Amino acid sequence: SGEGNDFLGWKTLPVDTGESLIKDCETVRDQWKSKGVNLAVVIGIGGSYLGARCAIEALGHSFLRPETAIQVVFAGNNLSEDYLAELMDLVETKNAACVVISKSGTTTEPAVAFRIVKEYLEKKYGKTAAAERIVAITDAKRGALKTLSSQEGYKSFVVPDNVGGRFSVLTPVGLLPIVIAGFDVRAILKGAADERAELLRRGEENEAVKYAAMRNLLYSKYNKKVEVLVNYNPKFTFRGEWWKQLYGESEGKDL
């Protein structure tokens, strides 16, 4: 009931996410496959891409990708001209489509990347056909991206108002890229629901209780104030990047 309680929608996402949303994501994937799409550029920054990238890299093979799967690459999270130029080198060799994720549509990095990718798709496939290769995930009612998607006729998904970006991996923000990449989001949601049930169990065996007790003991008795998350498996590199935002930035906003 405290400050920020209007952003707690993420707590029930594992059990609230309906089959209709999953099927909508699968429809996008299947329609793109029917057009021969083999590359999807997912454009977003911060929470709009870290969760999905974490999941896709953790679940995927380090080197191989099924021939039938759509390759997912990420853009809009930096302003490197080299990155964008090399991204377009790849796009030009593929049959491409795009997912653009932004609540407002005005954040600089994704706005720049989307402008470049959109211009390319329209030039290569024509404006009407390009619109069928672009999906927007944005606000339900307002914002530059919402306005543009309505004008251009893009398929769109909604970023829930009560879910902050960094907690949005089980909304269309994360589910659509994960589905496009070929992974089973029903299994992911079941795993999240099972873990949610475990963390809601009261008692000393609750992993969150154990963690909180150890952390506070180390802090109060031993003056241990620095916490480090280390990933020894390269597949979890973006788990660390996501954690920095989920944990460090969330807890540090008012410090």
Side-chain angles (χ1 to χ4, degrees):
S1 60
E3 184 180 0
N5 69 337
D6 51 335
F7 279 99
L8 294 179
W10 58 272
K11 293 175 66 178
T12 57
L13 284 174
V15 293
D16 284 348
T17 301
E19 179 67 15
S20 61
L21 173 57
I22 298 172
K23 287 184 176 178
D24 283 348
C25 292
E26 291 174 336
T27 296
V28 171
R29 177 200 62 199
D30 294 343
Q31 288 177 345
W32 282 358
K33 280 189 171 185
S34 72
K35 298 178 186 297
V37 170
N38 55 16
L39 178 75
V41 182
V42 176
I43 297 173
I45 194 169
S48 293
Y49 92 102
L50 284 171
R53 185 162 187 176
C54 170
I56 290 169
E57 293 200 1
L59 293 170
H61 191 287
S62 296
F63 303 102
L64 301 177
R65 182 173 51 84
E67 291 183 5
T68 57
I70 296 174
Q71 181 183 1
V72 173
V73 295
F74 294 88
N77 50 73
N78 63 70
L79 287 175
S80 165
E81 64 271 31
D82 290 337
Y83 188 96
L84 283 169
E86 290 166 7
L87 169 74
M88 297 313 296
D89 287 342
L90 174 66
V91 170
E92 289 173 4
T93 69
K94 300 285 187 176
N95 189 329
C98 171
V99 177
V100 56
I101 307 166
S102 178
K103 189 81 168 173
S104 65
T106 57
T107 307
T108 302
E109 293 90 338
V112 169
F114 180 54
R115 180 175 295 181
I116 292 170
V117 173
K118 175 178 178 288
E119 183 179 278
Y120 171 83
L121 293 176
E122 290 179 347
K123 183 177 180 181
K124 180 168 183 178
Y125 301 106
K127 197 172 180 66
T128 301
E132 297 174 352
R133 294 169 176 265
I134 297 173
V135 171
I137 303 176
T138 188
D139 191 87
K141 299 177 181 177
R142 58 190 178 274
L145 182 55
K146 173 60 180 175
T147 300
L148 180 66
S149 63
S150 297
Q151 291 174 347
E152 301 290 341
Y154 302 153
K155 168 71 176 175
S156 64
F157 291 84
V158 173
V159 181
D161 285 334
N162 63 349
V163 179
R166 70 203 60 181
F167 300 100
S168 65
V169 69
L170 297 182
T171 74
V173 170
L175 294 178
L176 181 59
I178 293 169
V179 166
I180 289 170
F183 297 105
D184 183 356
V185 294
R186 291 178 183 84
I188 292 172
L189 286 164
K190 183 182 183 304
D194 290 346
E195 184 62 17
R196 177 179 182 272
E198 285 296 310
L199 294 174
L200 286 173
R201 276 198 310 141
R202 293 185 176 274
E204 296 176 0
E205 294 307 308
N206 185 313
E207 294 297 329
V209 172
K210 290 180 185 179
Y211 168 72
M214 288 187 288
R215 185 177 176 218
N216 281 284
L217 178 63
L218 288 166
Y219 186 88
S220 60
K221 188 172 182 179
Y222 300 102
N223 200 35
K224 302 294 184 182
K225 299 180 179 179
V226 177
E227 186 165 353
V228 179
L229 176 72
V230 180
N231 298 309
Y232 292 101
N233 187 331
K235 288 186 177 186
F236 289 117
T237 296
F238 272 86
R239 177 170 175 258
E241 294 301 308
W242 190 22
W243 182 79
K244 286 193 295 187
Q245 192 188 42
L246 279 169
Y247 183 49
E249 187 181 336
S250 292
E251 288 211 338
K253 276 194 176 292
D254 295 325
L255 298 180

